[in-house]
Amino acid sequence: MAAPTGGELSGYDLVVQGLIPGYASLARLSVALLAASPLAGPNGAEVLVAGCGTGAELVEAVAQRPDWRLSAIDPSKAMLSAAQQRLGPLAEGLNWLESTVEDLQGEACFDGALSVLVLQSLPDDGSKLAFLSALARCLRPGGQLVLVDLMRPALPLLEDQMAEAWLGFQRASQLRAPLALLEPLTHGAHPVGLARLTALVNAAGFGDPARVFQALDYEGFLLQRSP
Ligand SMILES: C[S@@+](CC[C@H](N)C(=O)[O-])C[C@H]1O[C@@H](n2cnc3c(N)ncnc32)[C@H](O)[C@@H]1O
């Protein structure tokens, strides 16, 4: 997806806030959830922010849990540098990784992880499973992942209404954004339903997903790596 650079950052964040219902709270909620988990709860936990983008979850993590040792991973150099600019001097305390999660070396070294709006961009052709398996591999047994993603509506009857409501949300937010920024987040996304997500996360090495929040088709799940 097209990455913003320093000066465009606030514009980018306005775009996602106008596009994604509840975006302003996603990072705060996700960090608060992980911070209450058994392994990432104690002081000094190792936490991975997968697909950190422009750094929304990192800003929240640093504010809520200054004791966490944070690793921020994203394959996009532009995204990483936008996140670094956003964090300012605090960026120095983080471990920055320009890579996909799938290419991350090392096993079971994290107490918790966050993945916000990343899985949806990967097709269900083995890519979603590879991403989730890599996340499971790098978590300690019992470590939790907060996964937030665009989902396929549970009831086909609701599909049209949800789609119309989403457009209404965008109109009410006066969303105007270049197609190159919107396309990967909308028509270029690959949402799956709950049954498929469950099969994927189980195959990857997690227990069943527990839904912890939802705004239209954006849902947040808590996953625990199987022992
Ligand atoms: C829609 S952005 C979300 C960014 C941020 N989490 C947020 O909520 O604002 C998705 C990010 O995931 C990154 N990404 C895509 N595939 C990835 C992968 N396999 N491993 C890690 N990051 C990935 C992209 O480069 C992009 O920065």
Side-chain angles (χ1 to χ4, degrees):
M1 107 183 242
T5 51
E8 296 161 85
L9 182 54
S10 59
Y12 170 82
D13 288 323
L14 282 177
V15 167
V16 285
Q17 281 185 32
L19 179 71
I20 298 173
Y23 181 79
S25 300
L26 285 185
R28 182 156 299 173
L29 270 172
S30 304
V31 169
L33 269 164
L34 191 63
S37 74
L39 292 192
N43 274 348
E46 292 282 351
V47 170
L48 177 70
V49 178
C52 67
T54 60
E57 301 93 280
L58 298 173
V59 169
E60 270 301 324
V62 167
Q64 290 188 39
R65 292 300 300 262
D67 59 289
W68 275 355
R69 287 193 296 277
L70 285 167
S71 293
I73 184 166
D74 201 296
S76 160
K77 191 191 273 292
M79 284 292 194
L80 285 177
S81 89
Q84 285 162 351
Q85 283 189 34
R86 186 172 184 177
L87 279 152
L90 293 171
E92 277 174 33
L94 275 62
N95 179 27
W96 297 94
L97 303 161
E98 187 184 328
S99 166
T100 63
V101 172
E102 298 87 315
D103 286 340
L104 193 57
Q105 303 297 315
E107 301 213 347
C109 43
F110 292 100
D111 301 300
L114 301 164
S115 168
V116 180
L117 308 175
V118 185
L119 185 70
Q120 63 188 40
S121 66
L122 304 173
D124 192 8
D125 59 359
S127 307
K128 282 187 193 296
L129 181 59
F131 176 77
L132 290 164
S133 301
L135 281 173
R137 208 169 43 240
C138 71
L139 279 171
R140 286 169 57 202
Q144 292 185 351
L145 165 68
V146 178
L147 177 76
V148 182
D149 230 44
L150 178 66
M151 297 289 290
R152 191 178 291 282
L155 299 172
L157 271 178
L158 278 184
E159 226 161 282
D160 288 349
Q161 186 170 353
M162 293 293 247
E164 186 51 38
W166 193 18
L167 288 175
F169 175 86
Q170 293 168 31
R171 278 194 302 273
S173 310
Q174 301 187 334
L175 177 66
R176 275 182 211 88
L179 208 59
L181 198 60
L182 287 181
E183 178 71 14
L185 293 163
T186 54
H187 297 95
H190 306 274
V192 294
L194 183 59
R196 180 63 186 147
L197 180 70
T198 303
L200 283 167
V201 301
N202 288 164
F206 291 100
D208 288 351
R211 187 189 287 110
V212 284
F213 52 81
Q214 175 169 6
L216 295 182
D217 290 332
Y218 287 92
E219 300 185 33
F221 298 94
L222 204 48
L223 307 177
Q224 184 151 315
R225 188 190 146 168
S226 309

